[in-house]
Amino acid sequence: MTILRLLCCLLASSIMMASAQSNKPIRIAALPQKAAPRISAPAAIVVDYQTGRVLYEKNSTTKRHVASTQKLLTALCVLDAGDLQRTFTIQKSDTWVVPTKLGIQPGQKYTRRHLVGALLVKSGNDVARALARDVAGSENAFADVMNRKARSIGMMSSNFLNPHGLTATGQYSTARDMAILGRECYRNPTIRRIVGTKAYYFNFSNGSRRYLTNTNRLLKSISYCNGMKTGTTNASGRCLVSSGEKNGRAVIVVVLGATSSTIWKESESLLRWALDRPAANS
């Protein structure tokens, strides 16, 4: 091996090691984009979980509304606050939100852990408001917590104004930043377990139960899909942060601004494209 080739190998090795310790996606000899499936969504990215290597991207730094996919960040902030067995009482103001609601009622009592499950599986906006108020005192204060957390993990092109993702002027993120968030959530065993749950019974404190089915349909259509979070508003279009693992390799896929007829197909296509290829090309 020549000295030049040795230096190149050492440089590549050091970059990969640095990436493994960082949460930011990096571009290292990205796979040919012509090999990727055709994606009609306006923004998307595929990132290797272990290395942060960008396998595919399309308008990944364009600022967009990301809807309820930002509830992944809400969950991270709640877990950061700790004391997941803390019980708190639902207030009337927690229910002042539409359209997706779990149906928690003023006066009911829940633990943070109990509500985080419903937040990520069924995407209740009332649950997001309740958790934000309990952790930070108000929705506005919780937005500050979200933005501090986002910056700390490398999300430098995002700004969050609420815990649920309903459209707000000045609130935005990017496919790249959402991939950073996806990698951070994938590292968290509690979140990974929740987002991989296909369905479960939620027990209300009044004794009633509701069967919650995960909004992420890919959990049913791809055996190696193991999360993460959906999001939909008129401003954002259909959004999905998804994760998958096969043969020891894991990827995070972000598709933003798709339509109801394309979000599942295009997200699945990118997951299969990234994980069904030989390991030598990953």
Side-chain angles (χ1 to χ4, degrees):
M1 180 179 292
T2 66
I3 295 178
L4 180 58
R5 288 183 61 191
L6 177 60
L7 289 175
C8 289
C9 290
L10 290 174
L11 177 60
S13 177
S14 64
I15 291 175
M16 296 294 279
M17 291 177 62
S19 173
Q21 298 171 358
S22 170
N23 206 32
K24 297 181 181 180
I26 57 174
R27 297 177 179 85
I28 302 177
L31 296 175
Q33 301 241 353
K34 65 181 180 180
R38 185 181 297 274
I39 300 299
S40 63
I45 193 169
V46 181
V47 174
D48 182 89
Y49 165 67
Q50 285 88 351
T51 66
R53 178 183 180 187
V54 175
L55 307 180
Y56 169 88
E57 60 182 338
K58 176 183 178 181
N59 300 325
S60 66
T61 60
T62 301
K63 294 178 180 177
R64 302 185 55 86
H65 296 290
V66 298
S68 287
T69 59
Q70 71 188 53
K71 284 175 178 152
L72 289 169
L73 181 58
T74 297
L76 274 179
C77 292
V78 173
L79 267 58
D80 279 354
D83 196 9
L84 295 183
Q85 297 309 313
R86 165 185 161 83
T87 299
F88 68 99
T89 304
I90 302 303
Q91 296 184 4
K92 190 174 182 179
S93 60
D94 299 333
T95 67
W96 295 346
V97 64
V98 291
T100 305
K101 301 172 69 172
L102 181 67
I104 53 177
Q105 297 297 319
Q108 294 180 345
K109 295 183 178 181
Y110 299 98
T111 65
R112 289 175 174 175
R113 173 63 181 82
H114 197 48
L115 290 187
V116 167
L119 175 78
L120 295 177
V121 171
K122 202 58 180 178
S123 201
N125 293 332
D126 47 355
V127 170
R129 283 179 63 93
L131 287 167
R133 176 188 56 78
D134 180 56
V135 168
S138 70
E139 191 171 276
N140 288 337
F142 188 77
D144 291 336
V145 174
M146 293 176 72
N147 285 311
R148 287 196 299 271
K149 180 64 175 180
R151 298 294 179 272
S152 73
I153 64 174
M155 299 174 70
M156 300 303 179
S157 298
S158 301
N159 188 58
F160 301 100
L161 299 175
N162 61 53
H164 39 65
L166 292 178
T167 304
T169 301
Q171 178 165 258
Y172 55 83
S173 188
T174 68
R176 178 184 170 91
D177 272 12
M178 293 308 293
I180 292 173
L181 176 59
R183 289 184 74 203
E184 187 71 17
C185 288
Y186 204 78
R187 291 190 179 106
N188 188 295
T190 298
I191 292 181
R192 279 183 67 174
R193 183 168 58 253
I194 294 173
V195 298
T197 300
K198 295 180 180 179
Y200 78 104
Y201 278 102
F202 179 88
N203 296 313
F204 290 91
S205 63
N206 63 4
S208 63
R209 296 205 304 171
R210 179 181 173 184
Y211 190 66
L212 304 184
T213 302
N214 200 308
T215 57
N216 182 4
R217 298 181 190 175
L218 293 191
L219 288 171
K220 295 181 178 180
S221 63
I222 307 180
S223 61
Y224 49 79
C225 177
N226 52 13
M228 292 191 163
K229 187 71 189 73
T230 59
T232 305
T233 65
N234 290 335
S236 71
R238 296 299 295 268
C239 303
L240 177 63
V241 179
S242 57
S243 61
E245 185 168 346
K246 183 178 181 181
N247 297 327
R249 293 184 294 137
V251 297
I252 306 297
V253 174
V254 180
V255 176
L256 303 179
T259 66
S260 297
S261 62
T262 62
I263 184 63
W264 307 115
K265 179 181 179 181
E266 294 189 353
S267 295
E268 178 175 345
S269 294
L270 287 172
L271 266 178
R272 292 190 183 279
W273 171 79
L275 291 175
D276 285 346
R277 63 179 54 253
N281 292 333
S282 64

